[in-house]
């Protein structure tokens, strides 16, 4: 039954890319070979390099931002595209090569089996693959604890961008998506709305090119902003 | 209270600021909506320069010891209000820019699909 549902759904890979010219095409090819049932839309968030040109040359469909919006705005574009084109499943796969498309099947199975709204690919369940830096792991553990405290649910990798959603949640995220380091915040929002969020173990790779949106200078701001956003989520409604 | 030399100096500054604001308006570098508060502020400073007694009156009213303290205090509040209203404006405009950028991206995608079909 799981296989049946799997084949009848329209599935979309949303690939946000900002200055990822060296990895984005390769990453798309990998999705096409490892997960042939998925359509791909690259969101070019006003890259200053050849990201757009290389995608177009390779025949990859691109949504092109005429100004840089950041990851939140890029993902929202992807969800808007998914909603407008009637997709049932949408999954974020970053353009920098961190997310191995090999795990898409496992994520989809979990989504259907558990009848969940969102599946997050977590680095920290089986603790395999790239585990990020020590300082970042502390930060992630901190958010994880905070989310558990506020929602009572265990989310081991709330900062993971590797996440799959389905159904009406696509439309909801298209209408409203947190901006500025949106991952932990959106997890809390969904949990507070009574959505079901589950995790599957994945192995992540070190980024193949480009730079993380979270630099050393920004990390203090990151912690404070996300913490405030999470507390605000708690106070809403 | 204020000597004549200072008075003239302040009037000249007020006048120059006024000219500057009007020029910005003429060149359409700023909306009347945003320039108007600055013109009012400029006029206010001119009025106070002409009649410094106003300041002393309000000082007594609020129980503030010296006029300069009161000026600083109210200037701070005023500037705070201006900057905060800008924070609100920027937040709103960010949201509008985001929506427009996304709409444009989706529209361009549909256009290119249409030309491919033809």
């Amino acid at each position: 039954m799981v296989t049946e549902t799997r084949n009848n759904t329209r599935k979309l890979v949303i690939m946000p890319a900002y200055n990822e010219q060296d990895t984005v095409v390769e990453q798309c090819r990998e999705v096409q070979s490892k997960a042939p049932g998925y359509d791909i839309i690259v969101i070019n968030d006003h890259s200053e390099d050849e990201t757009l040109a290389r995608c177009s040359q390779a025949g990859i469909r691109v949504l092109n931002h005429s100004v840089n919006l950041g990851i939140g705005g890029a993902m929202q574009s992807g969800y808007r595209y998914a909603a407008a084109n009637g997709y049932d499943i949408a999954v974020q796969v970053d353009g920098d090569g961190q997310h191995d498309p090999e795990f898409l099947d496992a994520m989809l199975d979990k989504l259907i089996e558990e009848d969940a709204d969102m599946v997050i690919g977590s680095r920290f369940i089986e603790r395999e693959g790239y585990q990020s830096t020590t300082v970042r792991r502390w930060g992630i553990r901190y958010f994880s604890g905070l989310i558990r405290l506020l929602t009572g649910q265990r989310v081991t990798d709330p900062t993971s961008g590797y996440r799959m959603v389905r159904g009406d949640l696509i439309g909801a995220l298209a209408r409203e998506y947190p901006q500025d380091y949106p991952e932990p915040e959106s997890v809390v929002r969904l949990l507070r709305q009574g959505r079901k969020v589950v995790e599957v173990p994945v192995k992540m790779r070190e980024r193949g090119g480009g730079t993380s949106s979270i630099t050393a200078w920004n990390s203090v701001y990151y912690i404070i902003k996300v913490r405030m956003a999470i507390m605000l989520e708690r106070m809403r409604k | 209270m204020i000597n004549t030399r200072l008075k003239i100096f302040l009037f000249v500054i007020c006048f120059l600021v006024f000219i500057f604001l009007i020029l910005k308006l003429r060149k359409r570098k700023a909306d009347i909506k945003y320039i108007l508060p600055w013109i009012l502020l400029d006029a206010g400073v001119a009025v106070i320069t002409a009649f410094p007694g106003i300041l002393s009156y309000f000082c007594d009213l609020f129980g503030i010891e010296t006029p300069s303290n009161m000026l600083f205090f109210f200037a701070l509040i005023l500037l705070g209000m201006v900057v905060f209203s800008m924070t609100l404006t920027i937040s709103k405009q960010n949201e509008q820019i985001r929506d427009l950028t996304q709409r444009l991206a989706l529209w361009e995608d549909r256009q290119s699909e249409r030309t491919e079909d033809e």
Side-chain angles (χ1 to χ4, degrees), chain B residues 16-26 30 35-40 42:
Chain B
L16 289 179
V17 169
F18 182 73
I19 297 293
F20 173 78
L21 291 171
I22 296 297
L23 280 179
K24 285 289 165 208
L25 272 183
R26 264 180 52 131
I35 289 290
L36 207 55
W38 295 110
I39 292 182
L40 291 177
D42 193 45

Side-chain angles (χ1 to χ4, degrees), chain A residues 41 61-67 69 73-74 76-77 80-81 177 179, chain B residues 94 97-110 112-113:
Chain A
I41 187 79
R61 197 157 178 175
V62 181
L63 282 187
N64 190 37
H65 284 177
S66 31
V67 297
L69 295 182
Q76 190 177 24
S77 275
R80 284 177 85 150
Y81 176 87
Y177 196 82
Q179 305 296 316
Chain B
N94 267 343
I97 291 170
R98 191 173 75 231
D99 184 52
L100 285 174
T101 306
Q102 291 172 337
R103 272 172 202 269
L104 181 62
L106 290 165
W107 183 82
E108 282 178 344
D109 174 68
R110 276 198 304 277
S112 64
E113 194 185 34

Side-chain angles (χ1 to χ4, degrees), chain B residues 8 14-15 18 24 27 40 50 58 90 98 102 116:
Chain B
I8 293 169
C14 284
F15 183 70
F18 182 73
K24 285 289 165 208
K27 287 185 193 156
L40 291 177
F58 279 105
I90 291 170
R98 191 173 75 231
Q102 291 172 337
E116 267 166 37

